[in-house]
Amino acid sequence: MEILLKGELQVGGMERDTQLSTQFRNIATIVMGKTINSETKRPYSVGMIERLMREIHFSVDPHDKPKKQAIQVIRELQKHYPIKRTPMRLKLVVPEESLPFLMEKLNAWNAEIVSQDEYGNQLVALVCEIAPSLFRDCDALVRNYHGRVEILAVSVHFEKDANVDYYDGNEDVVEPCHHTAELDVIKLSERLQKQSISTVNDGAAEKKLNAEVVEVKLNKCNTCHVFILGDIKQYREHFKSEWHKCNVRRKTRQLPPLTAEECALEDTVF
């Protein structure tokens, strides 16, 4: 009985690895939801965050909270990679006479002004995006000017809101690829040209290369962030796949796309 009351639970090696792997994934997911690429203003995928975490040799602490560890990961990643906290979108309502002082402070904080409108009764409404770490300072400043702060979005990943009707009714724009898949096009062209070699002079042993130009068309799926090789029929088949449907659902929730393998794994888990 004393062992049951004071003893510790012994966990097997495989079970421990599974728990650490799950917690590692959870931390990466939290980091993904709280950060964006400081250069492109777009979120990283969970897979990319996991790779970056491995590159900085991050090890999971099974006894610490995932959210706390995620904050530590973000601070460490910022030392090596173009990554920053996802900004908050706020609506600041202040008197007109306080606007110049507020704008000066927002510029010092590198806040991005989204819109500015008159609010009535000599008030001005500013919609801005600001780092989460500056929220308390911003709130105190606005209250000092006898204004108020409204939180429009805790994290901003995209410029426009996502909704199911928009993505269901609008397929991704077809964009030809000229540079990204250049190597694949060259390899495919060489293979097709080799197949076009034919004999000449009534069965002579000499062969010549057919000089026909092989045109390869690549269509881009902006939802899955991949290029579809083939004709329009294969391109439309991609839109009917479970992979594309999975990423459409993620896009409506403002989540980054997954690979086909990750989507299959997600469907298996859920």
Side-chain angles (χ1 to χ4, degrees):
M1 182 62 69
E2 185 177 356
I3 295 177
L4 294 176
L5 294 176
K6 298 182 180 180
E8 295 182 357
L9 176 64
Q10 298 295 321
V11 181
M14 294 184 62
E15 186 176 355
R16 185 183 298 107
D17 291 341
T18 301
Q19 291 177 353
L20 292 177
S21 177
T22 301
Q23 193 167 359
F24 188 89
R25 179 80 174 187
N26 292 339
I27 294 172
T29 303
I30 295 174
V31 173
M32 182 273 296
K34 291 181 175 292
T35 59
I36 58 174
N37 187 314
S38 58
E39 297 176 352
T40 63
K41 311 299 181 184
R42 302 286 294 180
Y44 287 96
S45 65
V46 177
M48 176 61 72
I49 294 294
E50 288 181 333
R51 286 194 290 271
L52 296 181
M53 289 169 62
R54 293 188 182 97
E55 289 182 7
I56 64 174
H57 306 292
F58 172 77
S59 58
V60 176
D61 184 353
H63 305 294
D64 208 352
K65 295 181 180 180
K67 187 174 181 180
K68 181 180 179 181
Q69 295 186 71
I71 299 299
Q72 296 173 352
V73 169
I74 293 173
R75 292 172 181 170
E76 189 64 28
L77 290 177
Q78 287 176 329
K79 300 177 182 178
H80 307 281
Y81 305 103
I83 187 172
K84 70 174 185 178
R85 289 289 301 273
T86 305
M88 300 178 66
R89 180 166 292 181
L90 306 177
K91 182 178 181 180
L92 313 178
V93 181
V94 296
E96 289 183 358
E97 61 270 15
S98 304
L99 182 60
F101 305 101
L102 178 62
M103 292 293 292
E104 181 180 356
K105 198 65 176 177
L106 291 176
N107 291 332
W109 288 337
N110 294 323
E112 182 178 349
I113 307 300
V114 179
S115 65
Q116 176 180 335
D117 301 300
E118 294 183 359
Y119 203 71
N121 296 328
Q122 296 183 344
L123 296 176
V124 178
L126 280 177
V127 176
C128 66
E129 294 177 1
I130 194 170
S133 59
L134 298 172
F135 171 72
R136 291 185 179 180
D137 294 337
C138 181
D139 183 58
L141 179 65
V142 172
R143 292 181 185 276
N144 188 43
Y145 292 143
H146 304 287
R148 69 175 186 272
V149 177
E150 298 178 16
I151 300 177
L152 301 182
V154 177
S155 62
V156 181
H157 275 164
F158 302 95
E159 293 183 356
K160 57 185 177 181
D161 294 331
N163 58 76
V164 176
D165 295 335
Y166 175 81
Y167 291 112
D168 286 347
N170 295 273
E171 291 186 350
D172 290 294
V173 178
V174 178
E175 297 181 2
C177 172
H178 300 290
H179 302 289
T180 306
E182 182 178 356
L183 183 59
D184 293 336
V185 172
I186 293 175
K187 290 181 178 179
L188 181 59
S189 299
E190 290 177 351
R191 187 167 69 250
L192 293 176
Q193 287 175 349
K194 289 180 181 179
Q195 294 176 356
S196 65
I197 297 176
S198 59
T199 58
V200 294
N201 297 329
D202 298 326
E206 296 181 357
K207 298 180 180 180
K208 68 176 181 179
L209 183 66
N210 191 344
E212 293 182 358
V213 177
V214 180
E215 182 180 357
V216 180
K217 186 175 182 180
L218 294 174
N219 297 321
K220 182 180 179 181
C221 173
N222 288 330
T223 298
C224 300
H225 290 185
V226 294
F227 293 93
I228 311 301
L229 178 63
D231 55 17
I232 191 64
K233 182 178 179 181
Q234 292 173 307
Y235 183 62
R236 292 187 179 277
E237 286 296 325
H238 168 74
F239 283 95
K240 300 177 183 179
S241 66
E242 294 299 325
W243 176 21
H244 181 78
K245 293 177 182 178
C246 172
N247 281 328
V248 168
R249 292 192 295 269
R250 292 179 60 83
K251 196 170 185 179
T252 60
R253 300 196 301 269
Q254 297 187 355
L255 296 175
L258 299 178
T259 63
E261 293 78 9
E262 290 175 335
C263 281
L265 180 61
E266 186 179 61
D267 292 338
T268 303
V269 173
F270 294 100

